[in-house]
Amino acid sequence: MFILEEEKLARDTYEFLDKTWGLNQFANIKKSEQTHIDAIENLLKQNEISYTILPEGVFSNDELQAHYNTFKVDGVKSVIDALKIGATIEDLDIKDLEDFVLETENAQIINVYQSLQCGSRNHLRSFMNGLDKNGCTYTPQFITQDEFNSIVNSSNEQCN
């Protein structure tokens, strides 16, 4: 359920930032985040777990709600701030998905989480490309610097 809401956080934030800035990164990646939500929904349905997706910008998890509220305030300050928010979200997603993969032995769940991680690595590369073009950097807050460097210094991946 947490991953479902975390993917929703990404989609909702990118939707807001796309309306604010109209950057291709937000327009394209918000669509990808919807496919991430769909993948988690499929897992929940297959395992007959009931769930509710709240309206845009509303989260049952207080930490995710606080992130969204902060991202909305900071995301309108500048394009650079908006791109850094994108990098932050993907940084967080990669770390959380890594942690959740270690907590299960269910191959189906692991496969979905690893596919989502692959997408998040590509999204991180996209946001970093935007920051690089603006002469800015991002320091990872959740994954290690080595993992971050490995991701941003490698090519986009084909994710299932």
Side-chain angles (χ1 to χ4, degrees):
M1 296 303 296
F2 179 81
I3 294 295
L4 178 68
E5 273 213 318
E6 191 170 69
E7 296 299 335
K8 180 183 175 309
L9 169 68
R11 184 203 61 196
D12 291 1
T13 301
Y14 300 157
E15 177 68 36
F16 174 79
L17 294 174
D18 182 36
K19 289 176 185 171
T20 303
W21 298 107
L23 295 179
N24 284 339
Q25 280 99 332
F26 298 121
N28 294 333
I29 295 174
K30 73 181 180 188
K31 294 175 191 168
S32 180
E33 295 299 344
Q34 182 59 56
T35 66
H36 291 194
I37 291 169
D38 296 344
I40 298 297
E41 278 190 287
N42 287 337
L43 277 178
L44 293 169
K45 288 175 186 173
Q46 290 168 6
N47 290 285
E48 298 179 358
I49 298 170
S50 65
Y51 64 94
T52 301
I53 296 181
L54 297 173
E56 186 175 319
V58 180
F59 303 87
S60 60
N61 181 285
D62 292 339
E63 183 180 341
L64 296 177
Q65 185 67 62
H67 280 312
Y68 182 77
N69 296 343
T70 300
F71 293 155
K72 278 187 71 175
V73 170
D74 292 345
V76 298
K77 293 178 182 176
S78 72
V79 168
I80 305 269
D81 287 317
L83 290 167
K84 285 184 178 182
I85 287 167
T88 300
I89 289 171
E90 301 306 332
D91 179 7
L92 177 62
D93 279 355
I94 292 165
K95 174 64 172 144
D96 285 344
L97 287 163
E98 282 175 4
D99 291 346
F100 280 108
V101 162
L102 297 174
E103 292 181 17
T104 186
E105 294 178 5
N106 182 310
Q108 183 184 30
I109 293 171
I110 290 170
N111 287 338
V112 169
Y113 285 179
Q114 288 177 338
S115 177
L116 298 181
Q117 274 186 299
C118 177
S120 289
R121 289 189 299 268
N122 286 340
H123 300 165
L124 180 59
R125 289 181 190 102
S126 179
F127 289 122
M128 290 308 303
N129 185 40
L131 286 167
D132 288 345
K133 286 181 179 178
N134 283 284
C136 295
T137 61
Y138 169 80
T139 302
Q141 302 170 56
F142 304 101
I143 60 176
T144 67
Q145 186 68 51
D146 285 343
E147 185 175 7
F148 174 81
N149 292 342
S150 176
I151 292 168
V152 298
N153 292 321
S154 60
S155 300
N156 271 2
E157 303 166 63
Q158 289 296 318
C159 308
N160 356 344

